Each structure stands twice: as structure tokens, then as C-alpha cells.
Amino acid sequence: MRYFLLILVLCSVAVFAIAGKRGATSRKPPIEIFPDMDRQPKLRPQTPNNFFANGRSSQVGVPGTIAQGDVYETTPFTTGHVAGKTNYVDVLPVKVTLQLLERGQQRFNINCSPCHGAQGDGNGITKKIGAMAIVANLHDKRIVELQDGEIFNTITYGKNLMGPYGANVTVEDRWAIVAYLRSLQLSKLGTLDDVPEPLRASLKK
Ligand code: HEC
């Protein structure tokens, strides 16, 4: 009987402690046993925030960002194919400028030279450390003779042992790399006749 009373009292206290004040208002903050993620150091959309120079909490997308599911225009520029055909474009569909080549050089050195080497001869660091045994020499006659569109396609989707780089390199940058790769190839294929007349003498030495 004594135990029964003790248990009854304890149960009453427990029930009161848990449910007794339900519905009552209080100015004190509630006791939180598991705060979970109720309060987070996060930014709410559309609120001012001076962390960024423009004072916004929601930043606009990086230029060139494509939302998932966006309709992707298929033109020779975006696919490397002749419009409406499976043939590759012969010549890159962008204007080759010094700026484009410099961009291509920078992107090539970042994305391609680890395997193909800075000169494109296939002697990159991955070969030296033994991570990749055979890497294509981009000065091979067969590759020199590839159409620009096919090289663009190889960068986008990869080929055999080479993985795809479409996700890492934008469409514009892929063409810039193609242009730069052509200039690398030309640097080995060029003859003295390609050099402007007044400069030839200095090269013969
Ligand atoms: C991780 C190493 C690696 C990187 C990085 C890499 N490649 Fe390759 N690439 C290869 C290998 C390996 C092959 C040979 C593929 C084969 O035929 O098995 C190859 C082949 C090629 C070919 C010849 C394709 C053909 O038709 O035979 C081209 C062109 C090429 N790469 C261009 C590039 C360009 C441009 C980049 C930079 C965007 C790049 N690669 C980055 C490893 C790489």
C-alpha cells in the first residue's frame, strides 16, 4: 500500500510536470531539451546583409549558369555539330582573337595539361607519376586532322580513356581551348615560310 501511494504521488507529479502548464502563457523562454536546428546562423531570402559588397543576402547566378531543366539551344556553337546533322563542324564557330587564345591557354593549362602536358605532347604529370600510362599526343597527325567540332566533342564527352570535361569547362572555354590547341599544333607544324619575311633572318641563327 505504501508503495502504491508513493507511485501514485510520483505519477501525479510527473503528469503535472509534463502536461500541467499546457495552454498557460509565460514570458520565460520554454525549456528546450532537444533544440535540434531551431536556430541557425543562416540568411533569409530577400533580407539585407552586409557580408557581400552589394548588401544582398540572395546573390544572382554566376553568368552562364543554366538552371536544371532549362532548354538548351542546340546550335553548332553549343554542340560542335553542323546544324541538323551528325557531322562535326570543320572550323570553330567563333572568331579567333588574341584574347580567345590567351583564355584558351589558361584553360588548357588548368584542364588539359595535367595529362596532355603544357605542350600537348602527352607528357603531363599524370604520366610521370604513373597515374596514366598512355595519353594521346595531341600533335599526332590523326589528331591534327580531326575537325574542330570533334575535338570540342571530345572535351565535352570525353573519349575512350579520357573522361568528360563538359561539366567543368564552359562552351565558350571549350572553343577557346580548341583554338589554343590548334596554335600549339601549328607551333610544331609551322615552317619558316609562315614567319613574316623581316623576322626570318633572326630565326635562322
Ligand atoms: C585525366 C587525363 C586527361 C585530361 C585531363 C585530358 N585528357 Fe585528353 N586524353 C586523355 C587520354 C588518356 C586520351 C587517349 C584516349 C584514348 O584514345 O584512349 C586523350 C585523348 C584526347 C584527344 C584525342 C581524341 C581522339 O579522337 O582520339 C584529344 C583531342 C584530347 N584528349 C583533348 C583534351 C583536351 C582539350 C583536354 C582539356 C580540356 C583534355 N584532353 C584533358 C587524357 C586526358
Side-chain angles (χ1 to χ4, degrees), residues 111-112 115-116 132 134-136 138 142-143 146 151 154-155 159-162 165 177:
N111 294 288
C112 320
C115 294
H116 291 287
M132 277 222 141
I134 313 155
V135 180
L138 302 179
R142 188 181 62 80
I143 295 174
L146 290 179
I151 296 179
T154 299
I155 303 175
K159 181 151 191 178
N160 303 333
L161 288 177
M162 177 178 147
Y165 286 84
I177 290 175

